[in-house]
Amino acid sequence: MGKWGRRLLLKAVLFDLDNTLMDRDNTFLSFIRQLVQECLLPMEKVDADKLIADIIIRDADGYRVKEGFFLELIDLLPWRQKPSLEQLQSYYDQHYMTHAKAMDHAIDTLQACRNMGLRLGVITNGHSHLQHRKIDLLGLREYFDTIVISGEVGLSKPDPQIYRLALERLGVGPDQCVLVGDHPRNDIWGAAQVGLQGIWLRRKHEWNEELIMGKPWKTVIELDEVPELLPQFGLENINNV
């Protein structure tokens, strides 16, 4: 029997997008370096590095509202020519995704899941046009049976309804699916509220011990660990019956 020859109890896998399938950390870092070089007054490398580190902190891993973040940058940064909010938004829209980078092992992991006969989906918070553009630029669309974006459906993680919608579109129940994501609350804890187990991809977020009713089923450091775990899904429950 082949590597994936065992009949799986699992039917589907949902993936987060930013900092799970897309390496947002390196994408954003590369974009900010371009912004500093092209749009700010010349400075020593050590000062530029400090400024970049401060911008990354202020960005809060992309969870800030973009308008407020951009207005803060307009007020604080040493611009060659101070932009308007519309100009900075336009610069971001034009250049940010040119730096897009898939997470290590993303394509191989998706293909391995496909080879196991699993249905796949993306569930992500964000603006519709930006998230669709990321998926297309990274060459990920062909792997998915459904794509659920908060900006399209009017629901955001960790609202339980967005996970239920994704499960409905995949045609599976929460006991037949796992979610892979990096954010403790929005991905792992949120999914657990509807009975959906999570595989936590550890990035920069620390686990919040207040999230008692929603700890991950498994924890991984790299995406290529995920396919090896999936044949174990549900076996703990069977063995305990």
Side-chain angles (χ1 to χ4, degrees), residues 61-208:
D61 202 29
Y63 283 94
R64 289 191 58 185
V65 175
K66 281 292 181 287
E67 180 174 325
F69 174 58
F70 289 154
L71 287 171
E72 189 172 286
L73 295 187
I74 290 169
D75 286 341
L76 292 175
L77 298 185
W79 300 96
R80 297 182 188 215
Q81 184 172 352
K82 192 171 184 177
S84 66
L85 176 60
E86 292 74 18
Q87 287 171 327
L88 184 54
Q89 179 70 63
S90 176
Y91 184 89
Y92 176 87
D93 290 345
Q94 180 180 354
H95 295 289
Y96 175 66
M97 282 309 299
T98 65
H99 299 272
K101 180 182 183 299
M103 190 69 75
D104 290 344
H105 315 296
I107 298 294
D108 289 344
T109 297
L110 292 172
Q111 187 60 59
C113 291
R114 273 294 187 201
N115 292 345
M116 297 163 75
L118 295 168
R119 294 178 63 78
L120 302 182
V122 167
I123 180 169
T124 178
N125 288 348
H127 295 294
S128 176
H129 69 288
L130 290 177
Q131 301 306 81
H132 277 297
R133 189 178 176 205
K134 292 173 187 177
I135 290 166
D136 287 331
L137 285 173
L138 296 174
L140 303 179
R141 186 173 298 275
E142 64 182 285
Y143 295 97
F144 300 119
D145 298 288
T146 190
I147 295 170
V148 179
I149 299 174
S150 66
E152 286 184 349
V153 301
L155 300 164
S156 298
K157 297 183 292 183
D159 185 329
Q161 290 301 113
I162 195 169
Y163 311 101
R164 293 191 180 105
L165 175 61
L167 291 170
E168 180 182 341
R169 289 186 178 182
L170 287 172
V172 298
D175 60 340
Q176 299 173 307
C177 184
V178 294
L179 184 145
V180 182
D182 73 297
H183 197 278
R185 178 177 291 276
N186 286 0
D187 295 322
I188 307 305
W189 178 86
Q193 305 317 296
V194 299
L196 183 59
Q197 295 197 70
I199 297 176
W200 182 32
L201 177 64
R202 292 203 62 172
R203 298 287 291 170
K204 63 173 61 173
H205 298 289
E206 293 299 323
W207 187 262
N208 184 341

Side-chain angles (χ1 to χ4, degrees), residues 22-83:
M22 188 183 92
D23 188 343
R24 187 189 183 275
D25 290 344
N26 283 313
T27 298
F28 187 73
L29 173 61
S30 181
F31 165 72
I32 291 300
R33 283 174 174 162
Q34 178 184 351
L35 177 82
V36 168
Q37 182 176 6
E38 292 184 351
C39 302
L40 303 188
L41 294 172
M43 64 186 78
E44 297 293 329
K45 183 179 185 303
V46 64
D47 295 325
D49 289 345
K50 288 179 181 177
L51 186 60
I52 289 168
D54 180 65
I55 293 171
I56 289 172
I57 291 171
R58 293 176 185 277
D59 171 64
D61 202 29
Y63 283 94
R64 289 191 58 185
V65 175
K66 281 292 181 287
E67 180 174 325
F69 174 58
F70 289 154
L71 287 171
E72 189 172 286
L73 295 187
I74 290 169
D75 286 341
L76 292 175
L77 298 185
W79 300 96
R80 297 182 188 215
Q81 184 172 352
K82 192 171 184 177

